Amino acid sequence: MAAATASVRKVLNQIEKDFLTCVICFERYKKPKSLPCLHTFCEQCLLTLVENQGVLNCPTCKASCPLPHGGVRALKNNIFITGVIEDFQARVKGEQKPAAMCESCQEKDAVMRCVECSQYLCQPCVKIHKNIAVTRSHQILPIGELSVTKSNDTDNMTNKSVHCNVHPDKEVRFYCDTCQVPVCTDCTIVNHRIPRHVHRDLNTAADEYLANIKSKILSKMELKNRDVESRYKASTHTCSLLQEKDKEAGKQLKNRAEMVKQQVRRDEEELRAEIREHYDFQVKDVDANISEIEMELDMISSTLSYLKKLMSHGNAAQLLSTKQETTQQIERILSSESVRPFQAEIVHFKPTEKDMPVHQMLGQLISDVHISRCKVENIPKQVLKGEVIDLLVTTDSTGKISRCMEISVAP
């Protein structure tokens, strides 16, 4: 019995979560209102929504819902959901009080319940219930084995009486074909009077509508549903394909970028090595040039120092004793060609331009040309005035950087 009760309670909780909960406040519906798109929400939730947004768009499907005269409160009540909530509350209450009193004899605890009559019965009254011709075919279940999902319970739930919105103390018993709303007896006299309004028995109209749904509407809706599902699958497949292609293109871009980075690093290393080789070579030359100038400077300095000392501290004999050597040394110094300063060849790094080829992605090296480092070849023995000649000029002693110059001899 306890296991069955727990099972029923679990089913009831699941129904409340999936069917009786407003998606705005996440609580059980209070005054459920139905929108034209058939989605249902609490009246107060819709009032707050309209107050904040100024318009009413369905929170579930985003459909625009024009408000009737009277606003949210004039929207149709969802009497189906209201009925389910009432039945649900009754069932939960019954689950909370399994030891209910027999509703037939009012003397003993109930152990069974008649699904059709919605009566709790004790064991003796169950036998009486089954012996009466009218109730003999009724389904009677133990209290702990009641299930809100059984078809008979559903039929019983949907057949519960519904009261009129205009006349709350009256049950709706008719259907107005003119206004397409269920009405009570008072409505047929006051607001839905014949002959302007055509109404008929509520159950007859419901049976006809149910038969129409089963024979025509359901098949069309199912066909439409399959079509939409097919288009949904096609769109989701397209979405997946786009995401896959996005990843694929991103991967290709990453691989290409990595390859370019590696090429750039190789180019950087090559250019850096070329720059270093160029300047290392020149540093050696300038070092040699500096050594030569130092030697010349030392010679001049030592000679000057000797002359100054001799002039300041030497006597006549001492001054004339080295006249010949001193004179020769001075003449050598003054007549010798001084070592010229080293003319550096500067290499500039020129960044690549937009139209540069891929192998020059970073840039290229451009050097200055100094006459002192140039070698001219193909010089003719005789040149006439105004004649244009081509000379081969090598601008680097290593022979790595060469240019051809066109020289015009001035007339």
Side-chain angles (χ1 to χ4, degrees):
M1 179 72 73
T5 301
S7 177
V8 171
R9 188 177 295 111
K10 182 179 180 181
V11 173
L12 291 174
N13 292 337
Q14 190 63 39
I15 288 177
E16 180 176 25
K17 178 181 177 181
D18 297 340
F19 196 60
L20 304 180
T21 301
C22 173
V23 297
I24 297 179
C25 63
F26 299 104
E27 296 180 1
R28 189 183 299 173
Y29 288 115
K30 300 177 184 67
K31 295 183 179 180
K33 293 288 184 178
S34 180
L35 300 183
C37 57
L38 302 184
H39 291 121
T40 301
F41 308 94
C42 299
E43 180 182 285
Q44 185 57 49
C45 291
L46 293 177
L47 285 170
T48 304
L49 194 65
V50 173
E51 182 180 352
N52 293 335
Q53 298 182 356
V55 294
L56 179 57
N57 294 322
C58 176
T60 299
C61 66
K62 310 303 179 185
S64 177
C65 304
L67 288 172
H69 182 70
V72 172
R73 290 188 173 85
L75 290 170
K76 284 188 176 181
N77 295 324
N78 192 326
I79 59 176
F80 174 64
I81 294 294
T82 302
V84 172
I85 290 175
E86 291 175 354
D87 188 76
F88 176 83
Q89 290 172 336
R91 292 172 187 274
V92 172
K93 186 177 180 180
E95 286 300 315
Q96 292 173 346
K97 298 178 180 180
M101 186 67 67
C102 176
E103 295 179 281
S104 180
C105 66
Q106 298 291 324
E107 295 180 356
K108 297 181 179 180
D109 291 339
V111 294
M112 307 286 281
R113 180 176 181 268
C114 176
V115 176
E116 282 76 1
C117 299
S118 298
Q119 283 188 333
Y120 288 98
L121 304 170
C122 63
Q123 195 62 48
C125 290
V126 169
K127 293 180 181 180
I128 297 173
H129 207 73
K130 289 183 177 181
N131 289 331
I132 299 174
V134 178
T135 58
R136 185 175 299 158
S137 61
H138 289 188
Q139 184 180 14
I140 301 176
L141 297 175
I143 292 177
E145 296 180 6
L146 295 174
S147 173
V148 295
T149 59
K150 290 186 178 293
S151 60
N152 286 342
D153 277 355
T154 303
D155 294 339
N156 181 63
M157 177 178 61
T158 55
N159 285 331
K160 283 183 174 294
S161 61
V162 176
H163 288 79
C164 179
N165 290 334
V166 181
H167 308 95
D169 58 330
K170 301 292 183 179
E171 294 181 10
V172 293
R173 297 183 179 275
F174 301 95
Y175 181 75
C176 179
D177 285 324
T178 306
C179 302
Q180 297 188 3
V181 292
V183 295
C184 66
T185 305
D186 289 359
C187 287
T188 62
I189 301 173
V190 181
N191 300 321
H192 302 267
R193 298 181 65 178
I194 298 175
R196 291 186 60 187
H197 294 261
V198 178
H199 37 75
R200 50 185 168 148
D201 179 71
L202 183 68
N203 291 330
T204 302
D207 291 341
E208 180 181 320
Y209 180 54
L210 186 62
N212 184 51
I213 290 177
K214 291 180 179 179
S215 62
K216 299 179 181 179
I217 298 177
L218 276 184
S219 58
K220 293 180 180 179
M221 288 295 294
E222 288 173 352
L223 183 63
K224 182 70 174 180
N225 185 64
R226 286 194 293 271
D227 176 60
V228 174
E229 282 184 346
S230 176
R231 287 186 280 114
Y232 173 77
K233 289 179 181 178
S235 294
T236 52
H237 174 71
T238 301
C239 182
S240 300
L241 180 63
L242 291 173
Q243 292 173 343
E244 180 182 346
K245 292 301 181 183
D246 172 46
K247 292 180 180 178
E248 181 180 340
K251 185 177 180 180
Q252 291 175 345
L253 173 62
K254 185 177 181 181
N255 292 338
R256 175 61 179 170
E258 187 59 35
M259 185 181 71
V260 170
K261 289 177 184 177
Q262 293 176 2
Q263 181 63 45
V264 168
R265 283 193 288 268
R266 287 194 294 268
D267 291 348
E268 179 189 9
E269 291 173 0
E270 291 177 3
L271 289 173
R272 187 69 188 96
E274 188 174 344
I275 292 171
R276 186 177 293 111
E277 180 183 1
H278 174 81
Y279 282 111
D280 285 349
F281 177 80
Q282 292 199 86
V283 167
K284 292 179 181 177
D285 285 352
V286 76
D287 283 343
N289 178 256
I290 291 171
S291 297
E292 291 178 7
I293 294 175
E294 286 178 344
M295 290 175 62
E296 184 180 0
L297 186 61
D298 288 343
M299 183 182 297
I300 295 172
S301 298
S302 61
T303 302
L304 280 173
S305 178
Y306 175 78
L307 287 174
K308 289 177 180 180
K309 290 178 181 179
L310 187 62
M311 291 168 60
S312 299
H313 307 289
N315 54 32
Q318 293 172 338
L319 182 65
L320 295 174
S321 64
T322 57
K323 175 182 177 182
Q324 185 178 1
E325 291 82 4
T326 303
T327 302
Q328 292 176 353
Q329 177 68 5
I330 292 172
E331 288 177 351
R332 280 196 297 270
I333 292 174
L334 295 177
S335 63
S336 66
E337 185 178 352
S338 299
V339 179
R340 294 183 179 182
F342 182 82
Q343 297 292 324
E345 180 182 348
I346 305 301
V347 171
H348 303 278
F349 174 73
K350 182 180 180 182
T352 187
E353 298 177 358
K354 292 183 179 179
D355 299 331
M356 283 288 184
V358 177
H359 66 276
Q360 293 181 354
M361 188 173 297
L362 288 179
Q364 56 185 332
L365 301 180
I366 300 177
S367 63
D368 295 332
V369 177
H370 293 279
I371 300 299
S372 63
R373 302 184 64 80
C374 293
K375 182 173 68 175
V376 183
E377 301 178 21
N378 298 338
I379 301 176
K381 294 182 178 179
Q382 186 176 4
V383 180
L384 298 177
K385 288 185 178 181
E387 182 181 359
V388 176
I389 61 173
D390 291 332
L391 301 177
L392 178 63
V393 180
T394 302
T395 60
D396 191 323
S397 60
T398 62
K400 288 188 175 181
I401 305 176
S402 299
R403 298 288 187 273
C404 286
M405 307 181 90
E406 187 179 79
I407 299 176
S408 178
V409 180

